[in-house]
Structure formats: structure tokens, C-alpha cells
Short mmCIF file of all heavy atoms in Angstrom, two decimals:
data_model
loop_
_atom_site.label_atom_id
_atom_site.label_comp_id
_atom_site.label_asym_id
_atom_site.label_seq_id
_atom_site.Cartn_x
_atom_site.Cartn_y
_atom_site.Cartn_z
N THR C 1463 -3.14 -1.36 7.81
CA THR C 1463 -2.37 -1.33 6.56
C THR C 1463 -3.25 -0.76 5.49
O THR C 1463 -4.36 -1.10 5.31
CB THR C 1463 -1.97 -2.76 6.27
OG1 THR C 1463 -1.22 -3.35 7.29
CG2 THR C 1463 -1.21 -2.78 4.78
N ILE C 1464 -2.69 0.11 4.73
CA ILE C 1464 -3.23 0.82 3.52
C ILE C 1464 -2.69 0.21 2.36
O ILE C 1464 -1.49 0.04 2.24
CB ILE C 1464 -3.14 2.35 3.66
CG1 ILE C 1464 -4.02 2.93 2.57
CG2 ILE C 1464 -1.67 2.90 3.48
CD1 ILE C 1464 -4.16 4.46 2.59
N SER C 1465 -3.51 0.04 1.33
CA SER C 1465 -3.20 -0.47 0.08
C SER C 1465 -3.96 0.02 -1.13
O SER C 1465 -5.09 0.57 -0.89
CB SER C 1465 -3.05 -2.08 0.08
OG SER C 1465 -4.36 -2.53 0.28
N ARG C 1466 -3.54 -0.12 -2.30
CA ARG C 1466 -4.16 0.32 -3.53
C ARG C 1466 -4.10 -0.74 -4.57
O ARG C 1466 -3.18 -1.44 -4.76
CB ARG C 1466 -3.58 1.63 -4.02
CG ARG C 1466 -3.71 2.75 -3.15
CD ARG C 1466 -3.14 4.02 -3.71
NE ARG C 1466 -3.81 4.50 -4.97
CZ ARG C 1466 -3.57 5.64 -5.66
NH1 ARG C 1466 -2.69 6.47 -5.13
NH2 ARG C 1466 -4.15 5.87 -6.82
N ASP C 1467 -5.27 -0.86 -5.21
CA ASP C 1467 -5.31 -1.71 -6.45
C ASP C 1467 -5.68 -0.69 -7.61
O ASP C 1467 -6.88 -0.45 -7.87
CB ASP C 1467 -6.35 -2.83 -6.24
CG ASP C 1467 -6.52 -3.74 -7.45
OD1 ASP C 1467 -5.93 -3.47 -8.46
OD2 ASP C 1467 -7.14 -4.80 -7.27
N ASP C 1468 -4.68 -0.34 -8.37
CA ASP C 1468 -4.81 0.60 -9.38
C ASP C 1468 -5.71 0.09 -10.53
O ASP C 1468 -6.33 0.76 -11.24
CB ASP C 1468 -3.46 0.98 -9.96
CG ASP C 1468 -2.70 1.78 -9.07
OD1 ASP C 1468 -3.20 2.31 -8.03
OD2 ASP C 1468 -1.36 1.80 -9.22
N ALA C 1469 -5.70 -1.31 -10.72
CA ALA C 1469 -6.48 -1.90 -11.82
C ALA C 1469 -8.01 -1.70 -11.54
O ALA C 1469 -8.81 -1.60 -12.54
CB ALA C 1469 -6.23 -3.28 -11.96
N THR C 1470 -8.53 -1.70 -10.33
CA THR C 1470 -9.81 -1.52 -9.91
C THR C 1470 -10.16 -0.15 -9.30
O THR C 1470 -11.32 0.12 -8.84
CB THR C 1470 -10.34 -2.57 -9.02
OG1 THR C 1470 -9.59 -2.47 -7.84
CG2 THR C 1470 -10.15 -3.92 -9.58
N ASN C 1471 -9.13 0.75 -9.34
CA ASN C 1471 -9.33 2.10 -8.74
C ASN C 1471 -9.89 2.03 -7.32
O ASN C 1471 -10.82 2.82 -6.91
CB ASN C 1471 -10.29 2.93 -9.74
CG ASN C 1471 -9.69 3.06 -11.08
OD1 ASN C 1471 -8.64 3.20 -11.30
ND2 ASN C 1471 -10.66 2.79 -12.05
N THR C 1472 -9.29 1.24 -6.50
CA THR C 1472 -9.72 1.00 -5.09
C THR C 1472 -8.65 1.08 -4.16
O THR C 1472 -7.58 0.57 -4.38
CB THR C 1472 -10.45 -0.39 -5.07
OG1 THR C 1472 -11.47 -0.59 -6.03
CG2 THR C 1472 -11.05 -0.57 -3.68
N ALA C 1473 -8.91 1.69 -3.06
CA ALA C 1473 -7.89 1.75 -1.98
C ALA C 1473 -8.55 0.99 -0.74
O ALA C 1473 -9.83 0.87 -0.62
CB ALA C 1473 -7.73 3.18 -1.61
N TYR C 1474 -7.78 0.39 0.04
CA TYR C 1474 -8.21 -0.36 1.27
C TYR C 1474 -7.52 0.09 2.50
O TYR C 1474 -6.36 0.51 2.48
CB TYR C 1474 -7.87 -1.91 0.92
CG TYR C 1474 -8.43 -2.55 -0.30
CD1 TYR C 1474 -7.78 -2.52 -1.50
CD2 TYR C 1474 -9.77 -3.09 -0.31
CE1 TYR C 1474 -8.24 -3.04 -2.67
CE2 TYR C 1474 -10.28 -3.60 -1.44
CZ TYR C 1474 -9.51 -3.56 -2.62
OH TYR C 1474 -10.12 -4.13 -3.70
N LEU C 1475 -8.13 -0.15 3.53
CA LEU C 1475 -7.64 0.08 4.89
C LEU C 1475 -7.98 -1.31 5.70
O LEU C 1475 -9.08 -1.48 6.02
CB LEU C 1475 -8.37 1.19 5.46
CG LEU C 1475 -7.77 1.59 6.99
CD1 LEU C 1475 -6.23 2.09 6.77
CD2 LEU C 1475 -8.51 2.58 7.62
N GLN C 1476 -6.87 -2.06 5.87
CA GLN C 1476 -7.06 -3.33 6.63
C GLN C 1476 -6.70 -2.93 8.13
O GLN C 1476 -5.65 -2.49 8.39
CB GLN C 1476 -6.06 -4.36 6.11
CG GLN C 1476 -6.07 -5.65 6.82
CD GLN C 1476 -7.46 -6.22 6.82
OE1 GLN C 1476 -7.94 -6.66 5.70
NE2 GLN C 1476 -8.09 -6.65 7.95
N MET C 1477 -7.58 -3.18 8.97
CA MET C 1477 -7.45 -2.89 10.47
C MET C 1477 -7.39 -4.04 11.30
O MET C 1477 -8.31 -5.01 11.14
CB MET C 1477 -8.61 -1.95 10.89
CG MET C 1477 -8.72 -0.67 10.10
SD MET C 1477 -10.09 0.38 10.57
CE MET C 1477 -11.56 -0.64 10.10
N HIS C 1478 -6.33 -4.22 11.97
CA HIS C 1478 -6.19 -5.41 13.03
C HIS C 1478 -6.14 -4.79 14.45
O HIS C 1478 -5.74 -3.75 14.57
CB HIS C 1478 -5.05 -6.28 12.59
CG HIS C 1478 -5.06 -6.91 11.40
ND1 HIS C 1478 -5.88 -7.97 11.07
CD2 HIS C 1478 -4.34 -6.64 10.29
CE1 HIS C 1478 -5.71 -8.27 9.92
NE2 HIS C 1478 -4.82 -7.65 9.25
N GLY C 1479 -6.31 -5.73 15.32
CA GLY C 1479 -6.20 -5.28 16.79
C GLY C 1479 -7.04 -4.04 17.13
O GLY C 1479 -6.53 -3.19 17.78
N LEU C 1480 -8.34 -4.08 16.69
CA LEU C 1480 -9.11 -2.88 16.91
C LEU C 1480 -9.43 -2.61 18.38
O LEU C 1480 -9.57 -3.51 19.15
CB LEU C 1480 -10.37 -3.05 16.07
CG LEU C 1480 -10.29 -2.80 14.56
CD1 LEU C 1480 -11.57 -3.37 13.88
CD2 LEU C 1480 -10.06 -1.27 14.33
N LYS C 1481 -9.34 -1.28 18.74
CA LYS C 1481 -9.74 -0.90 20.09
C LYS C 1481 -11.00 0.06 20.05
O LYS C 1481 -11.24 0.52 19.03
CB LYS C 1481 -8.50 0.01 20.57
CG LYS C 1481 -7.12 -0.81 20.50
CD LYS C 1481 -5.99 0.06 20.91
CE LYS C 1481 -4.69 -0.52 20.81
NZ LYS C 1481 -3.52 0.48 21.13
N HIS C 1482 -11.56 0.19 21.27
CA HIS C 1482 -12.67 0.95 21.41
C HIS C 1482 -12.42 2.42 21.01
O HIS C 1482 -13.37 2.99 20.31
CB HIS C 1482 -13.23 0.99 22.88
CG HIS C 1482 -14.40 1.78 23.18
ND1 HIS C 1482 -15.65 1.36 22.45
CD2 HIS C 1482 -14.55 2.95 23.72
CE1 HIS C 1482 -16.53 2.26 22.90
NE2 HIS C 1482 -15.92 3.28 23.56
N GLU C 1483 -11.17 2.90 21.13
CA GLU C 1483 -10.92 4.25 20.75
C GLU C 1483 -10.77 4.36 19.18
O GLU C 1483 -10.60 5.60 18.69
CB GLU C 1483 -9.63 4.76 21.39
CG GLU C 1483 -8.45 3.83 21.40
CD GLU C 1483 -8.35 2.88 22.54
OE1 GLU C 1483 -9.39 2.38 23.11
OE2 GLU C 1483 -7.28 2.76 23.10
N ASP C 1484 -10.80 3.24 18.44
CA ASP C 1484 -10.81 3.33 17.01
C ASP C 1484 -12.23 3.66 16.37
O ASP C 1484 -12.41 3.93 15.30
CB ASP C 1484 -10.34 2.07 16.46
CG ASP C 1484 -8.86 1.82 16.65
OD1 ASP C 1484 -8.04 2.82 16.70
OD2 ASP C 1484 -8.52 0.70 16.99
N THR C 1485 -13.19 3.74 17.25
CA THR C 1485 -14.48 3.97 16.87
C THR C 1485 -14.57 5.42 16.31
O THR C 1485 -14.25 6.36 17.00
CB THR C 1485 -15.45 3.89 18.05
OG1 THR C 1485 -15.54 2.41 18.51
CG2 THR C 1485 -16.92 4.24 17.73
N ALA C 1486 -15.14 5.51 15.02
CA ALA C 1486 -15.20 6.77 14.35
C ALA C 1486 -15.88 6.62 13.07
O ALA C 1486 -16.04 5.44 12.55
CB ALA C 1486 -13.77 7.39 14.30
N THR C 1487 -16.18 7.75 12.39
CA THR C 1487 -16.49 7.72 10.99
C THR C 1487 -15.25 7.77 10.18
O THR C 1487 -14.45 8.73 10.33
CB THR C 1487 -17.52 8.88 10.64
OG1 THR C 1487 -18.62 8.69 11.39
CG2 THR C 1487 -17.81 8.78 9.16
N TYR C 1488 -14.99 6.91 9.23
CA TYR C 1488 -13.83 6.77 8.47
C TYR C 1488 -14.04 7.28 6.95
O TYR C 1488 -15.05 6.95 6.41
CB TYR C 1488 -13.20 5.29 8.37
CG TYR C 1488 -12.59 4.86 9.58
CD1 TYR C 1488 -13.36 4.59 10.80
CD2 TYR C 1488 -11.23 4.74 9.66
CE1 TYR C 1488 -12.67 4.20 11.94
CE2 TYR C 1488 -10.58 4.36 10.79
CZ TYR C 1488 -11.31 4.08 11.97
OH TYR C 1488 -10.76 3.72 13.16
N TYR C 1489 -13.22 8.18 6.61
CA TYR C 1489 -13.40 8.93 5.34
C TYR C 1489 -12.20 8.57 4.46
O TYR C 1489 -11.06 8.56 4.76
CB TYR C 1489 -13.48 10.38 5.49
CG TYR C 1489 -14.62 10.93 6.35
CD1 TYR C 1489 -14.49 11.16 7.67
CD2 TYR C 1489 -15.76 11.21 5.68
CE1 TYR C 1489 -15.60 11.59 8.40
CE2 TYR C 1489 -16.89 11.65 6.49
CZ TYR C 1489 -16.82 11.84 7.80
OH TYR C 1489 -17.90 12.23 8.60
N CYS C 1490 -12.60 8.38 3.14
CA CYS C 1490 -11.55 8.31 2.12
C CYS C 1490 -11.41 9.66 1.38
O CYS C 1490 -12.39 10.31 1.05
CB CYS C 1490 -11.97 7.19 1.12
SG CYS C 1490 -10.86 6.98 -0.28
N ALA C 1491 -10.25 9.98 1.10
CA ALA C 1491 -9.88 11.20 0.38
C ALA C 1491 -8.86 10.97 -0.67
O ALA C 1491 -8.12 10.03 -0.69
CB ALA C 1491 -9.36 12.31 1.44
N ALA C 1492 -8.93 11.89 -1.73
CA ALA C 1492 -7.97 11.61 -2.89
C ALA C 1492 -7.78 13.07 -3.44
O ALA C 1492 -8.45 14.00 -3.27
CB ALA C 1492 -8.75 10.79 -3.93
N ASP C 1493 -6.59 13.00 -4.22
CA ASP C 1493 -6.15 14.24 -4.81
C ASP C 1493 -5.21 13.89 -6.01
O ASP C 1493 -4.61 12.85 -6.11
CB ASP C 1493 -5.48 15.12 -3.84
CG ASP C 1493 -5.69 16.69 -4.30
OD1 ASP C 1493 -5.21 17.04 -5.40
OD2 ASP C 1493 -6.29 17.47 -3.51
#
């Protein structure tokens, strides 16, 4: 689940049910 808190200028990625194949470097991007 992705969400944003505009008051704090922060984005979140809540991850559940993680699998081994989710292993990676995670990057945040904006535009």
C-alpha cells in the first residue's frame, strides 16, 4: 500500500506478506 502525508512531505510504502522475491533495493521517485 502506498500513501502520502502532504503535511510532512512524506510518502510511505507499507508492505505485507513479503516474499523472498521481493528482495531488492527500493527507490523513491518524484516529479
Side-chain angles (χ1 to χ4, degrees):
T1463 302
I1464 187 171
S1465 61
R1466 292 180 63 171
D1467 186 345
D1468 293 339
T1470 60
N1471 305 309
T1472 304
Y1474 301 94
L1475 183 68
Q1476 179 66 57
M1477 304 180 290
H1478 296 291
L1480 284 164
K1481 306 173 181 178
H1482 181 66
E1483 49 264 43
D1484 293 319
T1485 296
T1487 300
Y1488 284 71
Y1489 297 92
C1490 180
D1493 209 299

